[in-house]
């Protein structure tokens, strides 16, 4: 197993429900694998499941808590849903697995782990995040993580998909990709979150986006050779990244996925320790 947590590690006392109420592949699968590898009792409810038809999320969670579930991994389309569930559920743990355009903390952590493994330290490094920043929870969580560890963040993308500077006081924000690429130590491409666009929101089509903001073979050839390329996935070949770039050894895309299992295992181990420290009962 290629992860930071050993085969023998367990996370006793946890009973997890993965509540996946918005599409997810990498995050759901890596939480499930992390749970299996730690021998943690778990189940997964996905969007559209009959348990949520007409029932509030809190009532679904209460139902599961009555069966002994004490940890909820929540992927939800609404910003703030994990906090709301946590305050409704008292003693249960709630892990944010992505809340709308809000935050995606475990993605931020797995990106930090990937970059720390690559560089040794984040301190003093500049990460350029390119694409649809305004709708991206990944951009938001990376900003907090990278700046906390002494890194710098540059955001770049079409004007209509850039955030207001107030939200990210420490970030440099620009729509000139070629200039930004000259000043970064790593570049992370993001897809346009078409599912989050309001119906009248202006946004470039795939070909225009590729021409202006894509990591094309031509751009990557001009990029310093030690600058790695990241993408949280799912990526659109020949839109955010050219196919040849995605398949080249310039990317850390698959290392990010691998780090995702390790981070989620580490998180569950920590939650198990917290339960033990607090003297909370096993299910
Ligand atoms: N997988 C990431 C997320 O859930 C990125 C994306 O969907 O574009 O936010």
């Amino acid at each position: 197993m290629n992860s930071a947590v050993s085969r023998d590690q367990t996370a006793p006392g946890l009973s997890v429900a993965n509540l996946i109420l918005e599409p997810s592949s990498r995050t759901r699968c890596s939480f499930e694998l992390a749970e299996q590898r730690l021998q943690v009792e778990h189940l997964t409810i996905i969007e559209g499941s009959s348990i949520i038809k007409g029932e509030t999320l809190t009532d679904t969670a209460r139902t599961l808590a009555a069966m002994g579930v004490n940890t909820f991994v929540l992927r939800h389309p609404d910003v703030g849903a994990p906090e709301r569930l946590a305050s409704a559920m008292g003693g249960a743990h709630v892990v944010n697995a992505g809340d709308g355009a809000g935050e995606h903390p475990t993605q931020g952590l797995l990106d930090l782990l990937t970059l720390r493994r690559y560089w040794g330290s984040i301190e003093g490094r500049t990460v350029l995040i390119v694409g649809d920043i305004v709708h991206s929870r990944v951009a938001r969580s990376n900003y907090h993580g990278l700046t906390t560890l002494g890194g710098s963040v540059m955001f770049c993308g079409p004007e209509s998909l850039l955030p207001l500077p107030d939200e990210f006081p420490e970030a440099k924000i620009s729509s000139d990709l070629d200039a930004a690429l000259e000043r970064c130590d790593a570049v992370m491409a993001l897809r346009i979150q078409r599912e989050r666009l309001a119906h009248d929101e202006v946004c470039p089509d795939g070909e225009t986006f590729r021409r202006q903001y894509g990591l094309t073979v031509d751009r990557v050839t001009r990029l310093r050779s030690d600058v790695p390329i990241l993408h949280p996935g799912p990526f659109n070949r020949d839109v955010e990244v050219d196919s040849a770039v995605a398949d080249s050894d310039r990317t850390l895309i698959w290392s990010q996925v691998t780090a995702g299992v390790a981070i989620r295992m580490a998180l569950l181990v920590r939650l198990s320790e917290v339960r033990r420290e607090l003297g909370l009962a096993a299910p």
Side-chain angles (χ1 to χ4, degrees):
M1 180 177 62
N2 192 2
S3 82
V5 188
S6 83
R7 265 273 177 221
D8 306 330
Q9 186 89 52
T10 56
L14 296 185
S15 175
V16 180
N18 304 303
L19 304 178
I20 307 298
L21 307 183
E22 188 187 56
S24 170
S25 43
R26 269 151 292 270
T27 304
R28 175 177 62 80
C29 293
S30 59
F31 266 109
E32 287 179 347
L33 283 174
E35 289 147 11
Q36 283 169 29
R37 289 176 186 173
L38 293 168
Q39 299 168 43
V40 168
E41 176 181 86
H42 65 280
L43 55 85
T44 298
I45 290 176
I46 55 167
E47 41 153 4
S49 164
S50 61
I51 196 164
I52 57 165
K53 283 187 187 159
E55 186 173 65
T56 66
L57 174 59
T58 305
D59 286 339
T60 301
R62 281 193 187 121
T63 304
L64 293 163
M67 297 178 193
V69 169
N70 53 34
T71 304
F72 298 93
V73 172
L74 180 62
R75 158 68 59 100
H76 198 282
D78 297 343
V79 175
E83 285 87 345
R84 287 192 288 279
L85 184 62
S87 50
M89 292 305 295
H93 308 290
V94 178
V95 176
N96 183 351
D99 61 326
E103 292 275 355
H104 197 348
T106 57
Q107 176 74 43
L109 289 171
L110 75 86
D111 291 331
L112 291 178
L113 177 60
T114 305
L115 286 171
R116 207 176 65 176
R117 282 174 169 170
Y118 185 79
W119 285 324
S121 164
I122 305 283
E123 179 116 41
R125 307 281 185 170
T126 299
V127 179
L128 168 64
I129 305 183
V130 186
D132 177 0
I133 310 299
V134 77
H135 301 106
S136 173
R137 54 194 174 206
V138 176
R140 218 159 259 115
S141 290
N142 264 280
Y143 171 82
H144 295 309
L146 288 164
T147 52
T148 300
L149 294 187
S152 305
V153 176
M154 293 196 285
F155 289 135
C156 185
E159 296 277 352
S160 63
L161 300 177
L162 286 175
L164 295 174
D166 301 2
E167 193 189 344
F168 301 102
E170 292 176 51
K172 291 200 172 59
I173 302 179
S174 133
S175 44
D176 182 348
L177 177 60
D178 292 305
L181 283 172
E182 287 176 15
R183 298 199 304 269
C184 68
D185 299 306
V187 50
M188 178 183 295
L190 299 177
R191 72 184 176 91
I192 296 178
Q193 307 266 308
R194 295 198 185 274
E195 69 277 25
R196 301 196 202 289
L197 296 178
H199 75 279
D200 56 349
E201 229 172 312
V202 198
C203 129
D205 61 53
E207 183 42 43
T208 309
F209 183 88
R210 174 179 179 269
R211 207 173 47 249
Q212 295 176 336
Y213 295 101
L215 298 179
T216 58
V217 170
D218 181 48
R219 285 197 172 100
V220 172
T221 308
R222 285 184 274 125
L223 197 59
R224 233 174 50 220
S225 62
D226 62 337
V227 174
I229 293 166
L230 296 91
H231 194 305
F235 61 88
N236 297 288
R237 286 178 179 267
D238 302 317
V239 181
E240 305 97 75
V241 270
D242 275 9
S243 215
V245 173
D247 293 333
S248 75
D249 60 8
R250 296 298 302 268
T251 88
L252 294 176
I253 293 173
W254 312 116
S255 305
Q256 289 172 271
V257 178
T258 303
V261 180
I263 282 294
R264 284 148 188 150
M265 287 176 78
L267 174 71
L268 293 167
V269 168
R270 184 66 198 124
L271 283 180
S272 163
E273 288 168 358
V274 167
R275 287 190 74 74
R276 201 177 54 239
E277 285 159 20
L278 295 176
L280 294 170

